[in-house]
Amino acid sequence: MRIHGRTLRGAAIALSLAAAGTLAMGTGPASAKVSDGWVRGYDTWTDDWNDEGVLSQYNYSASNAVGLWQRILVAEGAKLDNGSNFVVNNIDCYFGDKTHQATMNLQKRWGLTADGKVGSGTFGRANKNLFKNFGSTVRGETLHLTYKAGDGTIEHFSRNTEGKYRFLDMQNNERQAGYTYRTCRT
Protein backbone atom coordinates (compact mmCIF):
# COMPACT_ATOMS: atom_id res chain seq x y z
CA MET A 1 0.00 0.00 0.00
CA ARG A 2 2.82 2.36 0.77
CA ILE A 3 4.24 1.99 -2.73
CA HIS A 4 0.79 2.60 -4.22
CA GLY A 5 0.46 5.86 -2.26
CA ARG A 6 3.85 7.12 -3.46
CA THR A 7 2.98 6.19 -7.02
CA LEU A 8 -0.29 8.10 -6.85
CA ARG A 9 1.37 11.13 -5.27
CA GLY A 10 4.12 11.06 -7.89
CA ALA A 11 1.58 10.80 -10.69
CA ALA A 12 -0.46 13.67 -9.20
CA ILE A 13 2.64 15.88 -8.97
CA ALA A 14 3.66 15.06 -12.55
CA LEU A 15 0.15 15.81 -13.79
CA SER A 16 0.08 19.12 -11.89
CA LEU A 17 3.42 20.18 -13.35
CA ALA A 18 2.32 19.25 -16.87
CA ALA A 19 -0.91 21.23 -16.46
CA ALA A 20 0.96 24.25 -15.10
CA GLY A 21 3.40 24.10 -18.03
CA THR A 22 0.55 23.94 -20.52
CA LEU A 23 -1.17 26.94 -18.94
CA ALA A 24 2.06 28.92 -18.91
CA MET A 25 2.62 28.26 -22.62
CA GLY A 26 -0.96 29.12 -23.47
CA THR A 27 -0.75 32.62 -22.00
CA GLY A 28 2.03 33.85 -24.30
CA PRO A 29 1.41 35.86 -27.46
CA ALA A 30 0.44 33.97 -30.58
CA SER A 31 2.97 33.88 -33.36
CA ALA A 32 2.89 32.67 -36.91
CA LYS A 33 4.92 29.67 -37.84
CA VAL A 34 5.61 28.14 -41.22
CA SER A 35 4.60 24.80 -39.71
CA ASP A 36 1.13 26.31 -39.27
CA GLY A 37 1.04 26.56 -43.07
CA TRP A 38 -0.32 30.11 -43.31
CA VAL A 39 0.72 33.74 -43.32
CA ARG A 40 -1.28 34.49 -40.22
CA GLY A 41 -1.76 37.07 -37.52
CA TYR A 42 -3.83 37.75 -34.45
CA ASP A 43 -4.93 40.77 -32.45
CA THR A 44 -3.12 43.90 -33.64
CA TRP A 45 -1.73 43.72 -37.18
CA THR A 46 1.39 45.78 -36.49
CA ASP A 47 3.62 42.75 -36.01
CA ASP A 48 1.85 40.09 -38.05
CA TRP A 49 4.59 39.68 -40.65
CA ASN A 50 7.64 40.02 -38.37
CA ASP A 51 7.81 36.30 -37.68
CA GLU A 52 6.99 34.77 -41.05
CA GLY A 53 8.98 32.03 -42.70
CA VAL A 54 11.62 32.68 -45.34
CA LEU A 55 10.50 32.87 -48.95
CA SER A 56 13.09 32.51 -51.70
CA GLN A 57 13.90 30.59 -54.84
CA TYR A 58 14.66 27.65 -52.53
CA ASN A 59 12.15 28.09 -49.67
CA TYR A 60 8.41 27.80 -50.33
CA SER A 61 9.11 28.99 -53.86
CA ALA A 62 5.78 27.74 -55.27
CA SER A 63 3.20 28.95 -52.78
CA ASN A 64 0.45 31.45 -52.18
CA ALA A 65 2.69 33.06 -49.54
CA VAL A 66 4.87 34.09 -52.50
CA GLY A 67 1.76 35.56 -54.16
CA LEU A 68 1.17 37.81 -51.15
CA TRP A 69 4.79 38.96 -51.36
CA GLN A 70 4.45 39.55 -55.11
CA ARG A 71 1.43 41.78 -54.43
CA ILE A 72 3.69 43.85 -52.16
CA LEU A 73 6.33 44.04 -54.92
CA VAL A 74 3.65 45.41 -57.28
CA ALA A 75 2.50 47.99 -54.73
CA GLU A 76 6.08 49.10 -54.12
CA GLY A 77 6.82 49.48 -57.83
CA ALA A 78 9.79 47.16 -57.33
CA LYS A 79 12.15 47.16 -60.27
CA LEU A 80 13.50 44.27 -62.28
CA ASP A 81 17.15 44.33 -63.33
CA ASN A 82 16.16 45.68 -66.78
CA GLY A 83 14.55 48.73 -65.10
CA SER A 84 10.94 47.74 -65.72
CA ASN A 85 8.47 47.38 -62.86
CA PHE A 86 7.31 44.14 -61.31
CA VAL A 87 3.66 44.23 -62.44
CA VAL A 88 0.37 42.49 -61.61
CA ASN A 89 0.86 40.05 -64.50
CA ASN A 90 3.97 38.78 -62.67
CA ILE A 91 1.86 37.49 -59.74
CA ASP A 92 2.05 33.74 -60.35
CA CYS A 93 2.84 32.57 -56.79
CA TYR A 94 6.22 31.33 -57.97
CA PHE A 95 9.49 32.80 -56.65
CA GLY A 96 11.32 32.85 -59.98
CA ASP A 97 13.98 35.13 -61.40
CA LYS A 98 11.70 38.19 -61.69
CA THR A 99 10.54 37.89 -58.08
CA HIS A 100 14.14 37.39 -56.95
CA GLN A 101 15.33 40.48 -58.89
CA ALA A 102 12.46 42.66 -57.68
CA THR A 103 13.00 41.50 -54.09
CA MET A 104 16.71 42.32 -54.18
CA ASN A 105 16.08 45.75 -55.70
CA LEU A 106 13.39 46.54 -53.13
CA GLN A 107 15.67 45.38 -50.30
CA LYS A 108 18.38 47.75 -51.59
CA ARG A 109 15.88 50.62 -51.75
CA TRP A 110 14.77 49.89 -48.18
CA GLY A 111 18.39 49.75 -46.94
CA LEU A 112 18.19 46.03 -46.10
CA THR A 113 20.61 43.24 -46.92
CA ALA A 114 19.90 42.51 -50.58
CA ASP A 115 19.95 38.73 -50.50
CA GLY A 116 16.74 38.11 -52.46
CA LYS A 117 15.22 36.23 -49.53
CA VAL A 118 12.04 37.41 -47.84
CA GLY A 119 12.63 36.73 -44.16
CA SER A 120 11.63 38.44 -40.96
CA GLY A 121 13.60 41.60 -41.76
CA THR A 122 12.07 42.09 -45.21
CA PHE A 123 8.56 40.97 -44.21
CA GLY A 124 8.90 43.08 -41.07
CA ARG A 125 9.83 46.16 -43.12
CA ALA A 126 6.78 45.60 -45.34
CA ASN A 127 4.63 45.24 -42.21
CA LYS A 128 5.36 48.92 -41.41
CA ASN A 129 3.26 49.86 -44.44
CA LEU A 130 0.12 48.02 -43.25
CA PHE A 131 -2.71 50.13 -41.86
CA LYS A 132 -6.12 49.21 -40.53
CA ASN A 133 -8.84 50.00 -43.02
CA PHE A 134 -11.88 48.55 -41.26
CA GLY A 135 -12.99 45.50 -39.36
CA SER A 136 -11.94 44.21 -35.99
CA THR A 137 -8.69 43.04 -34.39
CA VAL A 138 -10.69 40.73 -32.11
CA ARG A 139 -9.94 37.06 -32.73
CA GLY A 140 -12.62 35.44 -34.84
CA GLU A 141 -13.38 38.70 -36.68
CA THR A 142 -12.28 39.83 -40.15
CA LEU A 143 -9.80 42.68 -40.47
CA HIS A 144 -9.29 44.66 -43.69
CA LEU A 145 -5.91 46.31 -44.15
CA THR A 146 -4.44 48.82 -46.55
CA TYR A 147 -0.85 48.56 -47.66
CA LYS A 148 0.55 52.03 -48.45
CA ALA A 149 3.71 52.02 -50.51
CA GLY A 150 6.23 54.84 -50.39
CA ASP A 151 4.88 56.44 -53.56
CA GLY A 152 1.28 56.37 -52.32
CA THR A 153 0.24 53.21 -54.13
CA ILE A 154 -2.38 51.29 -52.18
CA GLU A 155 -3.09 47.57 -52.06
CA HIS A 156 -5.71 45.83 -49.99
CA PHE A 157 -5.23 42.75 -47.86
CA SER A 158 -7.54 41.07 -45.41
CA ARG A 159 -7.11 38.79 -42.43
CA ASN A 160 -9.97 36.33 -42.17
CA THR A 161 -11.72 35.02 -39.06
CA GLU A 162 -8.95 32.41 -38.61
CA GLY A 163 -6.22 35.06 -38.84
CA LYS A 164 -5.15 33.93 -42.35
CA TYR A 165 -4.03 36.65 -44.74
CA ARG A 166 -5.72 37.00 -48.10
CA PHE A 167 -4.51 38.83 -51.21
CA LEU A 168 -5.56 39.38 -54.82
CA ASP A 169 -3.85 37.36 -57.55
CA MET A 170 -3.15 38.64 -61.08
CA GLN A 171 -6.81 38.18 -62.06
CA ASN A 172 -8.01 39.90 -58.86
CA ASN A 173 -9.22 36.62 -57.36
CA GLU A 174 -8.86 36.52 -53.61
CA ARG A 175 -6.40 33.86 -52.37
CA GLN A 176 -5.29 32.71 -48.92
CA ALA A 177 -1.58 33.13 -48.32
CA GLY A 178 -0.26 29.68 -47.44
CA TYR A 179 3.21 28.16 -47.53
CA THR A 180 2.37 24.67 -48.70
CA TYR A 181 0.12 25.16 -51.69
CA ARG A 182 -0.18 27.24 -54.84
CA THR A 183 -3.54 28.09 -56.37
CA CYS A 184 -2.68 31.06 -58.57
CA ARG A 185 -1.17 30.51 -61.97
CA THR A 186 -0.36 32.49 -65.10
Side-chain angles (χ1 to χ4, degrees), residues 126-185:
N127 201 115
K128 292 179 181 183
N129 294 355
L130 273 182
F131 298 91
K132 181 180 177 184
N133 194 4
F134 63 93
S136 176
T137 58
V138 173
R139 288 183 188 223
E141 299 289 330
T142 299
L143 178 63
H144 295 272
L145 299 154
T146 299
Y147 183 91
K148 296 179 184 175
D151 68 355
T153 301
I154 293 176
E155 286 291 338
H156 299 283
F157 295 96
S158 64
R159 196 174 72 187
N160 72 13
T161 58
E162 297 175 316
K164 298 172 185 174
Y165 269 84
R166 298 177 66 82
F167 68 97
L168 298 176
D169 68 11
M170 72 165 57
Q171 290 134 359
N172 285 323
N173 295 313
E174 195 170 53
R175 305 286 181 177
Q176 284 190 151
Y179 290 98
T180 57
Y181 72 102
R182 177 180 175 217
T183 60
C184 53
R185 304 260 195 277

Side-chain angles (χ1 to χ4, degrees), residues 22-91:
T22 300
L23 286 173
M25 289 188 301
T27 59
S31 63
K33 294 190 177 13
V34 174
S35 61
D36 178 51
W38 305 100
V39 176
R40 187 189 297 257
Y42 298 104
D43 307 317
T44 184
W45 69 93
T46 57
D47 63 353
D48 280 356
W49 293 347
N50 294 352
D51 57 357
E52 291 303 327
V54 175
L55 301 174
S56 72
Q57 290 180 305
Y58 308 103
N59 300 91
Y60 306 101
S61 60
S63 70
N64 279 16
V66 170
L68 179 136
W69 175 248
Q70 290 174 325
R71 190 47 91 161
I72 292 167
L73 293 173
V74 170
E76 288 290 343
K79 301 286 186 194
L80 301 175
D81 288 348
N82 66 9
S84 64
N85 284 355
F86 191 91
V87 295
V88 170
N89 287 342
N90 296 129
I91 300 174

Side-chain angles (χ1 to χ4, degrees), residues 87-100:
V87 295
V88 170
N89 287 342
N90 296 129
I91 300 174
D92 58 3
C93 296
Y94 181 72
F95 206 111
D97 289 337
K98 288 181 180 180
T99 303
H100 181 78

